[in-house]
Amino acid sequence: MNWLINRLSKMRLFQGDLDLHLVRASMVVIYFFFGYQKWFDYEAQGLIPFFTHGPLIFWMVPVFGMKVSTYFLGASEWLFGALLLAGFGNRKLGVLGALGSVVTFLCTVTIIPFMPDGWARSASGFPAMVGNVAFLMKDVVLLAVSFYLLKQDLVRAALPTQVVAERDGQAVNQVIA
């Protein structure tokens, strides 16, 4: 087993930031696809139980109505996806996208305990999830992924920028704080 671990750890594939780029790219795709759905009536109808049982979003439908609430979610998802996409080149924009993503998934994860009929009574209830609770469980992972992206972008955005300049024909590193 040690041989396998040693061989894999020396592979170029595991030396760089491929994991960060794959996680970021997958979140961008998820946000664009899920954001797209929010512009259609079938999705608005499907979101009613989430809005009515979400302790952090319950107020949206009474204030804005169902259509505007779902449009707001769709626009927010596209915005966070675009900011995460921009995070490939600009860590500060990535921080904004990841922060929005963390807030988004905190809002959805908090719905889980309040969703009616989310636990199969035939299997003695919790932890036998069904329906909307089973759908929301993916958001636990997406919250963790969002936190990972936030941490990575915060660390990278906080690092001083290193500039290589040339003086008298020799390369000189300059740190810009």
Side-chain angles (χ1 to χ4, degrees):
M1 185 68 180
N2 288 338
W3 174 86
L4 177 63
I5 292 170
N6 288 332
R7 291 287 275 191
L8 288 174
S9 68
K10 291 177 183 171
M11 291 178 67
R12 187 178 175 119
L13 179 68
F14 299 109
Q15 298 292 318
D17 286 336
L18 181 61
D19 57 336
L20 175 62
H21 299 314
L22 288 173
V23 167
R24 182 180 306 281
S26 66
M27 289 299 289
V28 168
V29 168
I30 286 170
Y31 269 122
F32 287 152
F33 283 3
F34 275 81
Y36 176 77
Q37 289 180 286
K38 303 301 188 289
W39 302 95
F40 299 98
D41 282 337
Y42 80 92
E43 180 69 3
Q45 295 308 310
L47 289 175
I48 291 172
F50 300 98
F51 277 117
T52 56
H53 297 96
L56 301 176
I57 63 170
F58 71 93
W59 56 272
M60 289 180 71
V61 173
V63 172
F64 300 121
M66 194 62 199
K67 268 207 188 292
V68 173
S69 295
T70 58
Y71 292 166
F72 175 78
L73 289 180
S76 297
E77 289 173 349
W78 280 351
L79 173 63
F80 300 145
L83 288 168
L84 289 172
L85 179 63
F88 276 109
N90 184 323
R91 297 296 179 207
K92 291 179 181 178
L93 292 176
V95 166
L96 291 176
L99 190 58
S101 191
V102 167
V103 170
T104 296
F105 292 112
L106 279 174
C107 288
T108 59
V109 166
T110 60
I111 299 169
I112 293 171
F114 301 100
M115 187 62 73
D117 301 321
W119 308 102
R121 290 185 187 149
S122 62
S124 301
F126 179 82
M129 59 190 167
V130 295
N132 290 333
V133 168
F135 173 76
L136 285 172
M137 290 306 287
K138 70 172 176 13
D139 291 2
V140 174
V141 174
L142 293 173
L143 174 59
V145 166
S146 300
F147 186 82
Y148 170 78
L149 287 173
L150 178 59
K151 179 184 178 253
Q152 295 301 316
D153 285 344
L154 280 171
V155 167
R156 285 168 171 77
L159 290 176
T161 304
Q162 197 170 44
V163 177
V164 177
E166 192 173 315
R167 286 196 193 129
D168 300 325
Q170 292 189 348
V172 177
N173 287 330
Q174 294 177 322
V175 175
I176 300 172

